[in-house]
Amino acid sequence: MVQTVSKIYVKEDQIDEFVEVFKGMIEPTKKEKGYIQYEMYQDEENPALLIVLEQWETKEDFDNHMKSEHLGRIAPKMTEFMTKESEFNLCYKIVS
Amino acid sequence: MVQTVSKIYVKEDQIDEFVEVFKGMIEPTKKEKGYIQYEMYQDEENPALLIVLEQWETKEDFDNHMKSEHLGRIAPKMTEFMTKESEFNLCYKIVS
């Protein structure tokens, strides 16, 4: 299983619009091979910071998701709302 | 439900020691009220970056965890292995 953590900083006056665009990712992503988790969280202190947590069965499943038609179509729209490059980490569970 | 994301940067030659100290948190934390998730992940690109994901039923449960005897005892030991202040976010799920 792979876990990803993405911190996305968006324009303060366009948070709702960004979230609406992101919602378009949910249904097609849930149908992908290896999907476990695909969720968006909002930071308590900074509402313009959105955190996406993903889980995939394998790294290959994640890589395929990154090449998916829906991500290719929706990601450019999401980028328009961002104030800087998002922070991305792919990681593996070592203690639970 | 509250989710927390902590990015912890540790000394490259003391990753294993840090993880061993962290493991002491698991059992007492799982017994706490409101515990849902308490896991450590290792970044793929930078093994000295450990990411802790926590879920608690309520913010109050998390606050009580922060005041727990075991965290008060173990956190100072973990701090010794860090190369800089950890990055912490508490957030709420808005899309899933």
Side-chain angles (χ1 to χ4, degrees), chain A residues 40-70:
Chain A
M40 175 171 279
Y41 293 78
Q42 187 167 36
D43 187 64
E44 183 186 45
E45 288 190 0
N46 176 10
L49 168 55
L50 288 315
I51 299 177
V52 177
L53 299 181
E54 300 177 42
Q55 274 180 23
W56 295 89
E57 287 180 10
T58 68
K59 176 83 185 300
E60 186 183 8
D61 293 329
F62 171 75
D63 290 339
N64 286 333
H65 164 70
M66 293 302 287
K67 292 180 277 189
S68 67
E69 181 277 332
H70 45 281

CSV table of all heavy atoms in Angstrom, one decimal, chain A residues 40-70:
chain,number,residue,atom,x,y,z
A,40,MET,N,-10.3,14.8,0.4
A,40,MET,CA,-9.7,16.2,0.6
A,40,MET,C,-10.1,16.7,2.0
A,40,MET,O,-11.2,16.5,2.5
A,40,MET,CB,-10.3,17.1,-0.4
A,40,MET,CG,-9.9,18.6,-0.2
A,40,MET,SD,-10.3,19.7,-1.5
A,40,MET,CE,-9.0,19.3,-2.7
A,41,TYR,N,-9.1,17.3,2.7
A,41,TYR,CA,-9.2,17.9,4.0
A,41,TYR,C,-8.9,19.4,3.9
A,41,TYR,O,-8.1,19.8,3.1
A,41,TYR,CB,-8.3,17.2,5.0
A,41,TYR,CG,-8.6,15.7,5.2
A,41,TYR,CD1,-8.3,14.8,4.3
A,41,TYR,CD2,-9.3,15.4,6.4
A,41,TYR,CE1,-8.6,13.4,4.5
A,41,TYR,CE2,-9.6,14.0,6.6
A,41,TYR,CZ,-9.3,13.1,5.7
A,41,TYR,OH,-9.6,11.8,5.9
A,42,GLN,N,-9.5,20.1,4.9
A,42,GLN,CA,-9.2,21.6,4.9
A,42,GLN,C,-8.5,21.9,6.2
A,42,GLN,O,-9.0,21.4,7.3
A,42,GLN,CB,-10.5,22.3,4.8
A,42,GLN,CG,-10.4,23.9,4.7
A,42,GLN,CD,-11.7,24.5,4.3
A,42,GLN,OE1,-12.8,24.1,4.8
A,42,GLN,NE2,-11.6,25.6,3.6
A,43,ASP,N,-7.4,22.6,6.1
A,43,ASP,CA,-6.7,22.9,7.3
A,43,ASP,C,-7.5,23.8,8.3
A,43,ASP,O,-8.2,24.7,7.8
A,43,ASP,CB,-5.4,23.7,6.9
A,43,ASP,CG,-4.4,23.9,8.1
A,43,ASP,OD1,-4.0,22.9,8.6
A,43,ASP,OD2,-4.2,25.1,8.5
A,44,GLU,N,-7.4,23.6,9.6
A,44,GLU,CA,-8.1,24.3,10.5
A,44,GLU,C,-7.7,25.8,10.6
A,44,GLU,O,-8.5,26.7,10.7
A,44,GLU,CB,-8.0,23.7,11.9
A,44,GLU,CG,-8.8,24.4,13.0
A,44,GLU,CD,-8.6,23.8,14.4
A,44,GLU,OE1,-7.4,23.6,14.7
A,44,GLU,OE2,-9.5,23.6,15.1
A,45,GLU,N,-6.4,26.0,10.6
A,45,GLU,CA,-5.8,27.4,10.8
A,45,GLU,C,-5.9,28.2,9.5
A,45,GLU,O,-6.0,29.4,9.5
A,45,GLU,CB,-4.4,27.3,11.3
A,45,GLU,CG,-4.3,26.9,12.7
A,45,GLU,CD,-3.0,27.1,13.3
A,45,GLU,OE1,-2.0,27.5,12.6
A,45,GLU,OE2,-2.8,26.7,14.5
A,46,ASN,N,-5.7,27.5,8.4
A,46,ASN,CA,-5.6,28.2,7.1
A,46,ASN,C,-6.6,27.5,6.1
A,46,ASN,O,-6.2,26.5,5.4
A,46,ASN,CB,-4.2,28.1,6.5
A,46,ASN,CG,-4.1,28.7,5.1
A,46,ASN,OD1,-5.1,29.4,4.6
A,46,ASN,ND2,-3.0,28.6,4.5
A,47,PRO,N,-7.8,28.0,6.0
A,47,PRO,CA,-8.8,27.4,5.1
A,47,PRO,C,-8.4,27.3,3.6
A,47,PRO,O,-9.0,26.6,2.9
A,47,PRO,CB,-10.1,28.3,5.3
A,47,PRO,CG,-9.8,29.1,6.5
A,47,PRO,CD,-8.3,29.2,6.6
A,48,ALA,N,-7.4,28.1,3.2
A,48,ALA,CA,-6.9,28.1,1.9
A,48,ALA,C,-5.9,27.0,1.6
A,48,ALA,O,-5.3,26.9,0.5
A,48,ALA,CB,-6.3,29.4,1.5
A,49,LEU,N,-5.6,26.2,2.7
A,49,LEU,CA,-4.8,25.0,2.5
A,49,LEU,C,-5.6,23.8,2.5
A,49,LEU,O,-6.3,23.5,3.5
A,49,LEU,CB,-3.8,25.0,3.7
A,49,LEU,CG,-3.0,23.7,3.9
A,49,LEU,CD1,-2.2,23.3,2.6
A,49,LEU,CD2,-2.0,23.8,5.0
A,50,LEU,N,-5.6,23.1,1.4
A,50,LEU,CA,-6.4,21.9,1.2
A,50,LEU,C,-5.3,20.7,1.2
A,50,LEU,O,-4.3,20.8,0.5
A,50,LEU,CB,-7.2,21.9,-0.1
A,50,LEU,CG,-8.4,22.8,-0.1
A,50,LEU,CD1,-9.3,22.7,1.1
A,50,LEU,CD2,-8.1,24.2,-0.4
A,51,ILE,N,-5.7,19.7,1.9
A,51,ILE,CA,-4.8,18.5,2.0
A,51,ILE,C,-5.5,17.3,1.4
A,51,ILE,O,-6.6,17.0,1.8
A,51,ILE,CB,-4.3,18.3,3.4
A,51,ILE,CG1,-3.6,19.5,4.0
A,51,ILE,CG2,-3.4,17.0,3.5
A,51,ILE,CD1,-3.2,19.4,5.4
A,52,VAL,N,-4.9,16.7,0.4
A,52,VAL,CA,-5.4,15.5,-0.2
A,52,VAL,C,-4.7,14.3,0.3
A,52,VAL,O,-3.4,14.2,0.2
A,52,VAL,CB,-5.4,15.6,-1.8
A,52,VAL,CG1,-5.9,14.3,-2.4
A,52,VAL,CG2,-6.2,16.8,-2.2
A,53,LEU,N,-5.4,13.3,0.8
A,53,LEU,CA,-4.8,12.1,1.2
A,53,LEU,C,-5.3,11.0,0.3
A,53,LEU,O,-6.5,10.8,0.1
A,53,LEU,CB,-5.2,11.7,2.7
A,53,LEU,CG,-4.8,12.7,3.8
A,53,LEU,CD1,-5.2,12.2,5.1
A,53,LEU,CD2,-3.3,12.9,3.8
A,54,GLU,N,-4.3,10.2,-0.2
A,54,GLU,CA,-4.7,9.1,-1.2
A,54,GLU,C,-4.0,7.8,-0.7
A,54,GLU,O,-2.9,7.9,-0.1
A,54,GLU,CB,-4.1,9.4,-2.6
A,54,GLU,CG,-4.6,10.6,-3.2
A,54,GLU,CD,-4.0,10.9,-4.6
A,54,GLU,OE1,-3.8,9.9,-5.4
A,54,GLU,OE2,-3.6,12.0,-4.9
A,55,GLN,N,-4.7,6.7,-0.9
A,55,GLN,CA,-4.1,5.4,-0.7
A,55,GLN,C,-4.4,4.6,-1.9
A,55,GLN,O,-5.5,4.6,-2.4
A,55,GLN,CB,-4.7,4.7,0.5
A,55,GLN,CG,-4.0,5.1,1.9
A,55,GLN,CD,-4.6,4.3,3.0
A,55,GLN,OE1,-5.2,3.3,2.9
A,55,GLN,NE2,-4.5,4.9,4.2
A,56,TRP,N,-3.3,3.9,-2.3
A,56,TRP,CA,-3.4,3.0,-3.5
A,56,TRP,C,-2.8,1.7,-3.1
A,56,TRP,O,-1.9,1.6,-2.3
A,56,TRP,CB,-2.7,3.6,-4.7
A,56,TRP,CG,-3.4,4.8,-5.2
A,56,TRP,CD1,-3.1,6.1,-4.7
A,56,TRP,CD2,-4.4,5.0,-6.1
A,56,TRP,NE1,-3.9,7.0,-5.4
A,56,TRP,CE2,-4.8,6.3,-6.2
A,56,TRP,CE3,-5.1,4.0,-6.9
A,56,TRP,CZ2,-5.8,6.8,-7.0
A,56,TRP,CZ3,-6.1,4.5,-7.7
A,56,TRP,CH2,-6.5,5.9,-7.8
A,57,GLU,N,-3.3,0.6,-3.7
A,57,GLU,CA,-2.8,-0.7,-3.3
A,57,GLU,C,-1.3,-0.9,-3.7
A,57,GLU,O,-0.5,-1.4,-2.9
A,57,GLU,CB,-3.6,-1.8,-4.0
A,57,GLU,CG,-5.0,-2.0,-3.4
A,57,GLU,CD,-5.8,-3.1,-4.1
A,57,GLU,OE1,-5.2,-3.8,-5.0
A,57,GLU,OE2,-7.0,-3.2,-3.8
A,58,THR,N,-0.9,-0.3,-4.9
A,58,THR,CA,0.5,-0.4,-5.3
A,58,THR,C,1.0,1.0,-5.9
A,58,THR,O,0.1,1.8,-6.3
A,58,THR,CB,0.7,-1.5,-6.3
A,58,THR,OG1,0.1,-1.0,-7.5
A,58,THR,CG2,0.2,-2.8,-5.9
A,59,LYS,N,2.3,1.1,-5.9
A,59,LYS,CA,2.8,2.3,-6.6
A,59,LYS,C,2.4,2.4,-8.0
A,59,LYS,O,2.1,3.4,-8.6
A,59,LYS,CB,4.4,2.3,-6.5
A,59,LYS,CG,5.1,3.4,-7.2
A,59,LYS,CD,5.2,4.6,-6.4
A,59,LYS,CE,5.8,5.8,-7.2
A,59,LYS,NZ,7.2,5.5,-7.6
A,60,GLU,N,2.3,1.2,-8.7
A,60,GLU,CA,1.9,1.2,-10.1
A,60,GLU,C,0.4,1.7,-10.2
A,60,GLU,O,0.1,2.4,-11.2
A,60,GLU,CB,2.0,-0.3,-10.6
A,60,GLU,CG,1.7,-0.4,-12.1
A,60,GLU,CD,1.7,-1.8,-12.6
A,60,GLU,OE1,1.8,-2.8,-11.7
A,60,GLU,OE2,1.7,-2.1,-13.8
A,61,ASP,N,-0.4,1.4,-9.3
A,61,ASP,CA,-1.8,1.9,-9.3
A,61,ASP,C,-1.8,3.4,-9.3
A,61,ASP,O,-2.5,4.1,-10.0
A,61,ASP,CB,-2.6,1.3,-8.2
A,61,ASP,CG,-2.9,-0.2,-8.3
A,61,ASP,OD1,-2.9,-0.7,-9.5
A,61,ASP,OD2,-3.0,-0.9,-7.3
A,62,PHE,N,-1.0,3.9,-8.4
A,62,PHE,CA,-0.9,5.4,-8.3
A,62,PHE,C,-0.3,6.0,-9.6
A,62,PHE,O,-0.9,7.0,-10.1
A,62,PHE,CB,0.0,5.8,-7.1
A,62,PHE,CG,0.3,7.3,-7.1
A,62,PHE,CD1,-0.6,8.2,-6.7
A,62,PHE,CD2,1.6,7.7,-7.5
A,62,PHE,CE1,-0.4,9.5,-6.7
A,62,PHE,CE2,1.8,9.1,-7.5
A,62,PHE,CZ,0.9,10.0,-7.1
A,63,ASP,N,0.7,5.4,-10.1
A,63,ASP,CA,1.3,5.9,-11.4
A,63,ASP,C,0.2,5.9,-12.5
A,63,ASP,O,0.1,6.8,-13.3
A,63,ASP,CB,2.5,5.0,-11.8
A,63,ASP,CG,3.7,5.2,-10.9
A,63,ASP,OD1,3.7,6.3,-10.2
A,63,ASP,OD2,4.6,4.4,-10.8
A,64,ASN,N,-0.6,4.8,-12.5
A,64,ASN,CA,-1.6,4.8,-13.6
A,64,ASN,C,-2.7,5.9,-13.3
A,64,ASN,O,-3.2,6.5,-14.3
A,64,ASN,CB,-2.3,3.4,-13.6
A,64,ASN,CG,-1.4,2.3,-14.2
A,64,ASN,OD1,-0.6,2.6,-15.0
A,64,ASN,ND2,-1.6,1.1,-13.7
A,65,HIS,N,-3.0,6.1,-12.1
A,65,HIS,CA,-3.9,7.2,-11.7
A,65,HIS,C,-3.4,8.5,-12.2
A,65,HIS,O,-4.1,9.4,-12.8
A,65,HIS,CB,-4.1,7.3,-10.2
A,65,HIS,CG,-4.8,8.5,-9.8
A,65,HIS,ND1,-6.1,8.9,-10.0
A,65,HIS,CD2,-4.2,9.6,-9.1
A,65,HIS,CE1,-6.3,10.1,-9.5
A,65,HIS,NE2,-5.2,10.5,-8.9
A,66,MET,N,-2.1,8.7,-12.1
A,66,MET,CA,-1.5,10.0,-12.5
A,66,MET,C,-1.6,10.2,-14.0
A,66,MET,O,-1.5,11.3,-14.5
A,66,MET,CB,0.0,10.1,-12.1
A,66,MET,CG,0.2,10.2,-10.6
A,66,MET,SD,-0.7,11.6,-9.8
A,66,MET,CE,0.4,13.0,-10.4
A,67,LYS,N,-1.7,9.1,-14.8
A,67,LYS,CA,-1.8,9.1,-16.2
A,67,LYS,C,-3.3,9.0,-16.7
A,67,LYS,O,-3.5,8.9,-17.9
A,67,LYS,CB,-1.0,8.0,-16.8
A,67,LYS,CG,0.5,8.1,-16.6
A,67,LYS,CD,1.3,7.0,-17.3
A,67,LYS,CE,1.3,5.7,-16.4
A,67,LYS,NZ,2.2,4.7,-16.8
A,68,SER,N,-4.2,9.0,-15.7
A,68,SER,CA,-5.6,8.8,-16.1
A,68,SER,C,-6.2,10.0,-16.9
A,68,SER,O,-5.7,11.1,-16.8
A,68,SER,CB,-6.5,8.6,-14.8
A,68,SER,OG,-6.5,9.8,-14.1
A,69,GLU,N,-7.2,9.7,-17.7
A,69,GLU,CA,-7.9,10.7,-18.5
A,69,GLU,C,-8.4,11.8,-17.6
A,69,GLU,O,-8.3,13.0,-17.9
A,69,GLU,CB,-9.0,10.0,-19.3
A,69,GLU,CG,-9.7,11.0,-20.3
A,69,GLU,CD,-10.8,11.8,-19.6
A,69,GLU,OE1,-11.4,11.3,-18.6
A,69,GLU,OE2,-11.1,12.9,-20.0
A,70,HIS,N,-9.1,11.4,-16.5
A,70,HIS,CA,-9.8,12.4,-15.7
A,70,HIS,C,-8.8,13.4,-15.0
A,70,HIS,O,-9.0,14.5,-14.8
A,70,HIS,CB,-10.8,11.8,-14.7
A,70,HIS,CG,-10.3,10.6,-14.0
A,70,HIS,ND1,-10.2,9.4,-14.6
A,70,HIS,CD2,-9.8,10.4,-12.7
A,70,HIS,CE1,-9.7,8.5,-13.7
A,70,HIS,NE2,-9.4,9.1,-12.6
